[in-house]
Amino acid sequence: MSPPPADVDVDPRSGYSTATGTYHSLRPPPPHAPPPPSHPLSFPDFAFSSFSTSLPTTRPALIDSATGDAVTFPAFLSRVRALAAALLLGVVSPGDVAFVLAPPGVHVPVLYYALMAVGAVVSPADPALTQGEISRLVEMSSPTVAFAVSDTAGKLPCDLRVVLLDAPDFLSCHGVGVGEAAVAVRQSDPAAILYSSGTTGRAKAVLLTHRNLIASAAMPVTASASAAAAAAAANVVILLAVPMFHIYGFMFCLRAAMAGQTLVVYTGTAARGRGRFDARAVLAAVARFRVTRVAMAPPSVLAIVRAAEEDGSVTAGTASLQAVNCGGASISPDLIRRFSRKFPGVSLSQGYGMTETTAGFCRAVGEEESGRTGSVGRLSWGAEAKIVDPTTGDALPPGVPGELWVRGPFVMKGYLGDKESTSAILDSEGWLRTGDLCSFDKDGFLYIVDRLKELIKCKGYQVAPAELEHLLQTHPDIVEAAVVPFPDDQAGELPLAFVVRRAGGNLNAEQIKEFVAKQVVHYKRIHHVCFVNTIPKNSGGKILRKELVKLALHRRSNL
């Protein structure tokens, strides 16, 4: 992780080098920079080494949003060390994969840290998955043990050893006096296996190293990388309203403890895979725990905005809120404007990343950058990027869209047991092809257009579904919308919209088509409309377009 070579001419405004066609990060290095890759170091050791000597003894490291139960920073450290020592007593060995199938809770970050501290590989999965889906993930990662709760253990293969996190004997492992584990871990060793969303193909096992986690967690998330800014960041109280098994929530778990920040774990019914996201409960938690920052996905942002629009009293007591981090999927400019009206003075900070890049490598920091509507921010420290013409392979300058390629120490080691898929996305020089159509502007801000594979090819033109979805969601009688391609003999593909109507509304298909047609060029017009009760999404908020394409084809005779 280093600045651009001295002999490379880089535009100080955009970070772009015309000589190499590469965009370089212009961020300053963090005050707690990672050591050289050859230095033996686990992620937990790196994280704990960043703690200052004045670490507060009473301020919580973790809080359960439902119960209010809190774990102080000294208690967090002692629990991690005690559990790590207990795990080595016949539960796991260095290099073992530990499958984690559990709802969110204050015990989960403790488990993540303890497993990695002893050289085990953490592999969390969505507890809402079916037994068959879980069996597929277990087959991919080959764990030696699984950590689950009573409600999820029955979904695991019967021949896999299971440790119940809600059992008394496990909870007793958090006791003090067990001793510390001493395991030599290299930065190049595997630390985690997370599963790609599978929205454009079958889910894959993404192998991340300790170096990947260290590099990602070290990226500054404030407007300044100074020691003073780091000290101010330590007073942050974060409400985690995204899944802890998803790379987004996973890295927030790790980074918050490392930065000495309080993490409020949202443990509502939606967080446990039961029912819809409860916007009122989240806003109540913000007020109760004086939360300064919330991490959530775009559908959750839409939910809290709608709740505030329907009942302004739900924002009472949320004066402590300073920022909302939004990631996992794109967010429309209209929603950003609505958010700003209902939460004035609260910045909505977007970021961009993938499981394969150990979460975000591009983000907006500070009020000024967050004000760039439509952008996901600038490259983080240590990141390089290219915008590549998908047809010619040529690197493209600012203002010209193409496929985003990225390189840096946060890029995954590869897909576990899948060399073919690894080589298809990761080249010999370390460049990872994101599959997203993007562009940088002259100031180095990144804009996401859509997934290359999801672009609709209509009459020779490329139509981005996300653009039409954002437009549809501006209609007052549309709750949610998703756009997919529909085969047509003459045009090739035509945009088809799945729409969730507002309860009690009488909006019809022709009205929707007319609404869109007035605002877009002819080839972007909606040609078919299907009304549904919900839009299927994955845990990160991304629309499951493959399911909708299948549904559209099934309904073909009625369209």
Side-chain angles (χ1 to χ4, degrees):
M1 300 175 71
S2 59
D7 59 345
V8 174
D9 185 20
V10 173
D11 183 338
R13 195 169 165 185
S14 66
Y16 180 67
S17 168
T18 55
T20 63
T22 301
Y23 295 84
H24 299 270
S25 172
L26 300 177
R27 305 278 192 202
H32 187 63
S38 59
H39 182 75
L41 185 69
S42 70
F43 172 78
D45 282 343
F46 173 74
F48 293 156
S49 70
S50 70
F51 285 166
S52 65
T53 56
S54 59
L55 187 71
T57 58
T58 57
R59 191 159 58 83
L62 300 163
I63 300 176
D64 185 310
S65 72
T67 66
D69 292 342
V71 180
T72 64
F73 277 98
F76 173 73
L77 263 66
S78 65
R79 287 187 183 188
V80 169
R81 289 166 177 163
L83 180 57
L87 290 173
L88 285 177
L89 300 177
V91 180
V92 294
S93 298
D96 285 351
V97 175
F99 197 78
V100 180
L101 193 69
V106 296
H107 56 284
V108 175
V110 174
L111 178 63
Y112 287 170
Y113 265 86
L115 285 167
M116 287 188 287
V118 300
V121 184
V122 179
S123 187
D126 184 355
L129 293 175
T130 66
Q131 187 172 3
E133 290 169 326
I134 290 168
S135 295
R136 166 62 181 158
L137 300 187
V138 168
E139 181 182 347
M140 292 166 65
S141 58
S142 302
T144 59
V145 63
F147 293 85
V149 295
S150 301
D151 288 346
T152 63
K155 296 183 179 182
L156 293 162
C158 59
D159 59 345
L160 180 61
R161 181 185 178 187
V162 178
V163 176
L164 292 178
L165 300 176
D166 51 357
D169 56 344
F170 174 79
L171 297 176
S172 66
C173 292
H174 290 166
V176 181
V178 184
E180 286 194 30
V183 177
V185 177
R186 297 170 298 178
Q187 292 186 59
S188 58
D189 288 342
I193 296 172
L194 281 85
Y195 304 96
S196 65
S197 61
T199 54
T200 57
R202 201 171 191 184
K204 302 177 183 66
V206 178
L207 182 60
L208 303 175
T209 66
H210 286 267
R211 180 65 177 177
N212 292 150
L213 301 183
I214 290 170
S216 181
M219 293 178 183
V221 294
T222 59
S224 170
S226 67
N235 295 318
V236 168
V237 178
I238 301 171
L239 174 62
L240 187 65
V242 290
M244 302 177 99
F245 58 82
H246 188 276
I247 188 64
Y248 184 11
F250 182 78
M251 285 308 300
F252 257 98
C253 285
L254 303 184
R255 186 181 286 117
M258 170 182 159
Q261 299 169 342
T262 298
L263 187 73
V264 180
V265 180
Y266 176 59
T267 53
T269 55
R272 295 169 180 268
R274 303 168 187 164
R276 289 180 176 272
F277 175 84
D278 191 335
R280 293 173 179 267
V282 168
L283 292 173
V286 169
R288 179 182 180 187
F289 302 109
R290 299 190 60 78
V291 169
T292 61
R293 183 177 294 269
V294 179
M296 59 175 60
S300 301
V301 175
L302 178 60
I304 66 169
V305 167
R306 283 211 168 108
E309 289 173 341
E310 293 168 1
D311 180 6
S313 67
V314 299
T315 62
T318 61
S320 62
L321 187 62
Q322 300 171 9
V324 169
N325 284 82
C326 188
S330 62
I331 186 167
S332 71
D334 177 70
L335 179 54
I336 294 172
R337 287 189 287 269
R338 291 166 62 188
F339 175 88
S340 298
R341 285 196 294 268
K342 292 301 173 183
F343 297 90
V346 180
S347 66
L348 183 59
S349 176
Q350 295 190 76
Y352 172 81
M354 307 164 62
T355 308
E356 289 86 346
T357 61
T358 321
F361 59 85
C362 190
R363 59 174 57 93
V365 295
E367 292 185 18
E368 183 180 349
E369 292 190 9
S370 298
R372 291 281 185 126
T373 302
S375 171
V376 293
R378 289 168 162 155
L379 290 173
S380 297
W381 179 71
E384 296 176 282
K386 287 183 179 181
I387 300 295
V388 178
D389 186 310
T391 303
T392 66
D394 295 336
L396 302 171
V400 183
E403 183 182 13
L404 176 66
W405 292 18
V406 65
R407 182 168 66 179
F410 46 82
V411 171
M412 68 171 182
K413 190 169 185 177
Y415 293 124
L416 184 67
D418 193 343
K419 292 183 179 179
E420 182 178 350
S421 294
T422 299
S423 61
I425 193 175
L426 194 59
D427 73 11
S428 59
E429 295 181 345
W431 289 104
L432 184 138
R433 305 175 178 90
T434 67
D436 285 324
L437 187 66
C438 310
S439 68
F440 283 97
D441 69 11
K442 61 184 180 181
D443 294 316
F445 285 87
L446 181 67
Y447 294 80
I448 312 298
V449 178
D450 214 327
R451 291 289 297 175
L452 277 171
K453 291 183 179 179
E454 293 174 352
L455 293 176
I456 299 170
K457 307 295 177 62
C458 179
K459 300 178 181 178
Y461 296 98
Q462 292 185 337
V463 179
E467 178 187 355
L468 294 175
E469 289 159 1
H470 294 162
L471 177 58
L472 287 164
Q473 288 175 357
T474 65
H475 195 290
D477 288 330
I478 293 178
V479 176
E480 285 186 292
V483 176
V484 298
F486 188 78
D488 181 82
D489 292 337
Q490 294 184 342
E493 294 176 336
L494 294 172
L496 178 150
F498 283 89
V499 172
V500 179
R501 285 179 288 199
R502 178 178 58 83
N506 57 4
L507 189 67
N508 61 44
E510 291 306 316
Q511 290 171 324
I512 292 174
K513 293 177 186 179
E514 184 179 354
F515 173 76
V516 174
K518 290 180 179 180
Q519 304 180 70
V520 300
V521 69
H522 65 93
Y523 57 84
K524 294 182 181 180
R525 293 175 181 174
I526 298 295
H527 286 257
H528 304 286
V529 177
C530 293
F531 292 106
V532 291
N533 294 324
T534 59
I535 301 295
K537 303 183 190 72
N538 68 10
S539 58
K542 291 181 180 177
I543 295 170
L544 298 177
R545 299 190 198 278
K546 288 197 305 177
E547 293 187 15
L548 292 175
V549 169
K550 291 179 182 178
L551 180 58
L553 293 175
H554 179 70
R555 296 186 178 185
R556 185 169 190 169
S557 59
N558 297 323
L559 296 173

